[in-house]
Amino acid sequence: ALIYFPIVSALASGKPDLATILDDDDDVQEETKDVTKGEITIQSLSTILSMSTAITFISHTLLNLFKRSASHALPLSTLLSILVLLLAPSKMLKPLQPTAEVVGTTLLYLFFATAGAPGFSIASSMKECFLPLSFFLIVLYALHGATLYFICFLITHFSKKKNETVALQRLLTASSAAIGGPATAVALAKSNGWNSLIVPSLLVGNLGYAVATFLGIGFHAFFR
């Protein structure tokens, strides 16, 4: 990550926002304006915190009811959050979007800043597995880059629209969302002024969290 993120930042430097050069990003740009320029009120903030607290309480109550371990709290809370987003009326959720974006982004930055803190407790173990872990990361990043290149190649050469390609801004944002999650993807988009990619980076990054959480639990249950 210490090598990957500086490289992505260097590649992104100086690239304009897609909304300023492409016509097909108008809808996304308008959606971003609605989210980032809305009014944040005490009522909306209280509602967001109350919903988050309720989801957490319900997940822990269900775990106690079915006598499951506390390690299932995170995926269950994720599932309940997704159900709320899918089932709740859009009229109720839309006024909460500006507040939810600010609170969510702030907490994501806090998570990203503290995610590496436990590393100090496993420093000795890291020294012993440095070589195999480094090899694993090299393979991981290589496959990630090869996958992005392959997808870009397919879209470029088999698209029905002539000369259509995948913009570098989208590739870098998608890559950052896949490697670091929504926190790094949003940070990349905001730092480079890519306002039209803020909402997509949040959606893709959180979707990745939602899907990968259950896949990870499934793999752990299958291979243990």
Side-chain angles (χ1 to χ4, degrees):
L2 294 176
I3 299 175
Y4 166 80
F5 288 114
I7 292 177
V8 171
S9 180
L11 292 174
S13 179
K15 298 295 186 297
D17 185 18
L18 291 177
T20 62
I21 56 177
L22 297 177
D23 295 332
D24 58 352
D25 279 350
D26 290 341
D27 293 338
V28 176
Q29 182 72 1
E30 290 299 323
E31 183 179 359
T32 303
K33 290 181 179 179
D34 291 340
V35 173
T36 57
K37 294 187 177 181
E39 184 179 2
I40 300 176
T41 63
I42 296 296
Q43 180 180 358
S44 62
L45 180 60
S46 301
T47 303
I48 290 295
L49 295 178
S50 299
M51 291 175 63
S52 303
T53 304
I55 290 174
T56 304
F57 174 77
I58 292 173
S59 63
H60 281 278
T61 302
L62 292 175
L63 290 178
N64 294 330
L65 181 63
F66 293 100
K67 297 181 180 180
R68 297 291 181 179
S69 65
S71 61
H72 294 86
L74 178 59
L76 184 56
S77 298
T78 302
L79 179 61
L80 292 176
S81 301
I82 295 174
L83 290 177
V84 170
L85 292 176
L86 293 176
L87 300 178
S90 59
K91 292 182 179 180
M92 183 187 77
L93 295 180
K94 192 171 183 179
L96 302 176
Q97 286 181 352
T99 305
E101 196 272 339
V102 172
V103 174
T105 303
T106 302
L107 294 177
L108 280 174
Y109 285 156
L110 179 62
F111 163 76
F112 185 64
T114 59
F120 292 104
S121 62
I122 58 174
S124 58
S125 300
M126 290 293 295
K127 293 179 181 179
E128 297 177 1
C129 62
F130 178 76
L131 288 179
L133 184 60
S134 298
F135 179 73
F136 170 77
L137 292 176
I138 291 173
V139 173
L140 178 68
Y141 283 106
L143 288 175
H144 172 74
T147 301
L148 288 179
Y149 177 81
F150 181 69
I151 293 174
C152 183
F153 174 82
L154 289 178
I155 294 177
T156 301
H157 290 272
F158 296 99
S159 175
K160 294 181 180 180
K161 295 182 180 180
K162 188 178 180 181
N163 296 327
E164 180 170 341
T165 186
V166 180
L168 181 63
Q169 292 91 324
R170 287 173 175 163
L171 280 177
L172 293 176
T173 304
S175 176
S176 184
I179 296 296
T184 59
V186 171
L188 178 69
K190 284 190 174 182
S191 63
N192 289 282
W194 301 343
N195 294 325
S196 63
L197 294 178
I198 293 177
V199 171
S201 62
L202 282 170
L203 294 176
V204 172
N206 285 294
L207 177 63
Y209 274 164
V211 174
T213 298
F214 297 104
L215 287 179
I217 293 175
F219 277 118
H220 176 266
F222 180 78
F223 288 106
R224 69 176 179 177

